[in-house]
Amino acid sequence: MARPEQVLLLEPQHELKFRGGIKALGAICSYGPFSDVVTTNLKLSNPTDRNVCFKVKTTAPRRYCVRPNSGIIDAGTSINVSVMLQPFDYDPNEKSKHKFMVQSMLAPPDMTDMEGVWKEAKPEELMDSKLRCVFEMPVENEKAHDMESNKMISSSLLKSDSSALPGKSLSSTLDDGVVKEIMEECKRLQMEAQRLREENKQIREDDGLRMRKSNVMSSQHASVGMKKEEGLSARMMALIMLFFVVGVIVGKLVL
């Protein structure tokens, strides 16, 4: 017996789309399209005059966090289900394996245990809708993904073939804009280093000049001090001689 047609209205009806982004590390971007949580919303509407039980299931339960993943939708109302894709390494071969199914059934009037109702439900009472997952990547991500793939292939070829040319330039695996930024940064650092060397040289020259001036001034002070001492000694000797001569003359006059 065929299952009844789904009474819930799904928006979107057939696909859940997840759009990736770019992960940046320093000056060079590392492209991880699904390196962060990506959330999309699924709207479930109940246009009937009866309450409807629902469950949201997926073929990759470890990849997704669904809130709420089950419950009851009252008659004439709707709810939004958040489907959160967890961070993972994107593999194009895996995208076809991710699918979702929204299962529903009309709630009994006297329902008290929803889990019990699901366990006792007959196959002809269950309704379901299937959705596939679509992973969208920005153009930059697709370009970077191709670059990373080419880089990995080239690396494998270099390892397997010992006659391959060594020293492959890093700029061949990076786009021109990134290489230009790196070169400008290197140039700026070189100019800064040259400026610091010149400042250091000027400081050493200034210190040497101050030391020479200090030595000259010390020598001048010492010379002046010696001259003063010599002048004092000469005057003292002159006074002593004068006193001696006066004493001799006075002694002669007295005799």
Side-chain angles (χ1 to χ4, degrees):
M1 181 178 178
R3 289 190 176 185
E5 185 178 354
Q6 175 70 267
V7 296
L8 295 179
L9 301 179
L10 280 64
E11 185 181 344
Q13 296 181 357
H14 308 293
E15 298 178 341
L16 290 177
K17 295 183 179 181
F18 300 91
R19 185 172 181 81
I22 300 175
K23 182 180 180 182
L25 293 175
I28 302 176
C29 287
S30 173
Y31 294 87
F34 297 99
S35 56
D36 292 317
V37 175
V38 181
T39 302
T40 189
N41 291 319
L42 172 64
K43 184 178 181 180
L44 304 179
S45 301
N46 178 11
T48 70
D49 56 358
R50 291 183 59 182
N51 295 345
V52 175
C53 301
F54 77 93
K55 280 186 177 182
V56 181
K57 301 180 179 180
T58 177
T59 56
R62 295 184 179 181
R63 288 276 189 258
Y64 300 89
C65 180
V66 182
R67 294 291 184 272
N69 59 1
S70 64
I72 299 175
I73 306 176
D74 294 335
T77 64
S78 62
I79 66 168
N80 286 320
V81 177
S82 296
V83 182
M84 292 163 278
L85 173 62
Q86 303 303 299
F88 76 110
D89 294 329
Y90 176 70
D91 182 1
N93 298 322
E94 189 181 358
K95 63 182 180 180
S96 60
K97 300 178 182 179
H98 293 204
K99 295 181 176 65
F100 275 81
M101 181 177 71
V102 178
Q103 197 172 42
S104 65
M105 67 176 178
L106 296 174
D110 56 348
M111 185 184 68
T112 57
D113 180 12
M114 187 170 63
E115 289 300 322
V117 170
W118 281 109
K119 291 179 181 179
E120 297 174 2
K122 299 178 182 179
E124 60 270 17
E125 295 176 342
L126 300 177
M127 299 165 282
D128 59 60
S129 299
K130 295 180 175 61
L131 299 96
R132 67 187 186 94
C133 297
V134 177
F135 301 98
E136 296 182 343
M137 294 197 299
V139 176
E140 294 83 356
N141 281 17
E142 293 176 353
K143 179 180 177 181
H145 184 70
D146 293 340
M147 289 170 59
E148 289 295 328
S149 299
N150 294 334
K151 183 178 178 181
M152 293 175 63
I153 294 172
S154 300
S155 178
S156 299
L157 291 174
L158 287 173
K159 290 180 180 179
S160 61
D161 187 1
S162 59
S163 62
L165 293 176
K168 185 177 181 181
S169 174
L170 177 63
S171 61
S172 63
T173 61
L174 300 174
D175 58 35
D176 294 339
V178 174
V179 174
K180 185 177 179 181
E181 291 180 4
I182 295 174
M183 296 299 293
E184 290 179 352
E185 182 68 13
C186 291
K187 185 177 180 181
R188 186 187 67 80
L189 292 175
Q190 289 175 353
M191 294 176 64
E192 182 69 15
Q194 180 64 25
R195 184 182 66 81
L196 292 175
R197 284 196 294 269
E198 292 177 356
E199 290 183 356
N200 191 29
K201 181 180 178 181
Q202 185 63 38
I203 290 172
R204 288 199 300 268
E205 291 178 354
D206 293 343
D207 288 343
L209 181 60
R210 284 195 294 269
M211 290 179 66
R212 287 194 294 273
K213 287 183 178 180
S214 178
N215 291 336
V216 170
M217 293 179 65
S218 298
S219 299
Q220 290 177 350
H221 287 310
S223 177
V224 171
M226 292 176 64
K227 288 181 179 179
K228 288 182 177 180
E229 292 178 358
E230 291 176 355
L232 289 174
S233 299
R235 286 194 292 273
M236 185 64 67
M237 290 299 294
L239 288 173
I240 293 171
M241 290 298 296
L242 178 60
F243 289 148
F244 178 75
V245 172
V246 172
V248 171
I249 295 172
V250 171
K252 288 183 178 181
L253 292 175
V254 171
L255 295 174

